[in-house]
């Protein structure tokens, strides 16, 4: 049964609704842009709108792997840490959004199926609390925060490109 065919209730429905809402804000922010606009840097940082979409998809995919299999699974795929924030020469906004949607569908399926209380030790990295473990629930809450934060960044960049605002 596909997650879209399941009727989720309670906490799972709330988590799924929050993820979808904030992903929707990011999608709304990039709506109507061409590839040149999506790749444009409008601040001193490396960030561009296409790069934010790419980064959010990469981050969500990594955390979904963590939720399923822990730190080892999270690091099972190499990440271009610098390149994930900008559009590469072969990237298109449509392609990045397709990957964003594919990753989101995978995470949505996990919301419906994983034990929210299952926990994994965080990777041994200086930016994580040493020896701490996160539940699947906490991972999903972290993803909501991550997506929300980047949707806000995207809104600022979009406004500087053409004056459009996601909200208001």
């Amino acid at each position: 049964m596909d997650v879209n065919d399941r009727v989720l209730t309670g906490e799972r429905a709330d988590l799924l609704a929050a993820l979808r809402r904030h992903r929707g804000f990011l999608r709304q922010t990039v709506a109507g842009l061409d590839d040149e606009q999506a790749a444009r840097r409008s601040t001193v940082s490396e960030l561009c709108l296409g790069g934010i979409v790419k980064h959010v998809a990469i981050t969500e995919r990594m955390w979904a792997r963590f939720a399923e299999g822990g730190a080892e699974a999270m690091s099972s795929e190499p990440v271009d840490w610098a390149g994930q924030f900008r559009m590469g020469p072969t990237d298109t906004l449509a392609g990045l959004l397709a990957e964003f949607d594919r990753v989101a569908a995978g995470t949505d399926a996990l919301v419906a199926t994983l034990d929210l209380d299952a926990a994994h030790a965080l990777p041994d990295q200086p930016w994580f609390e040493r020896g701490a473990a996160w539940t699947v629930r906490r991972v999903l809450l972290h993803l909501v925060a991550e997506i929300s934060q980047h949707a806000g960044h995207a809104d600022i960049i979009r406004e500087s490109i053409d004056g459009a605002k996601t909200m208001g």
Side-chain angles (χ1 to χ4, degrees), residues 2 20 31 36 81-82 84 99-100 116-117 122 126 134 136 141 145 147 153 155 164 166:
D2 187 286
R20 288 177 173 172
E36 185 277 323
W81 291 105
Q84 70 178 316
E99 177 63 8
F100 177 80
L116 299 178
D117 292 320
L122 288 171
W134 280 11
V136 170
L141 292 170
I147 295 165
H153 295 148
D155 194 43
T166 303

Side-chain angles (χ1 to χ4, degrees), residues 11-91:
E11 182 179 21
R12 290 177 191 276
D14 291 345
L15 288 166
L16 192 57
L19 284 165
R20 288 177 173 172
R21 177 177 174 85
H22 293 284
R23 288 183 198 126
F25 288 145
L26 183 54
R27 273 192 142 284
Q28 183 181 343
T29 301
V30 300
L33 293 176
D34 60 30
D35 291 339
E36 185 277 323
Q37 290 170 309
R40 187 180 306 160
R41 290 177 44 210
S42 64
T43 69
V44 296
S45 78
E46 290 293 319
L47 287 177
C48 67
L49 292 169
I52 291 174
V53 170
K54 181 193 273 188
H55 167 72
V56 169
I58 289 169
T59 300
E60 185 167 341
R61 185 173 53 243
M62 286 175 51
W63 281 109
R65 285 195 315 260
F66 176 85
E68 282 188 290
E72 187 175 314
M74 182 184 213
S75 62
S76 65
E77 185 178 302
V79 175
D80 176 3
W81 291 105
Q84 70 178 316
F85 292 102
R86 57 184 173 265
M87 290 179 67
T90 62
D91 288 334

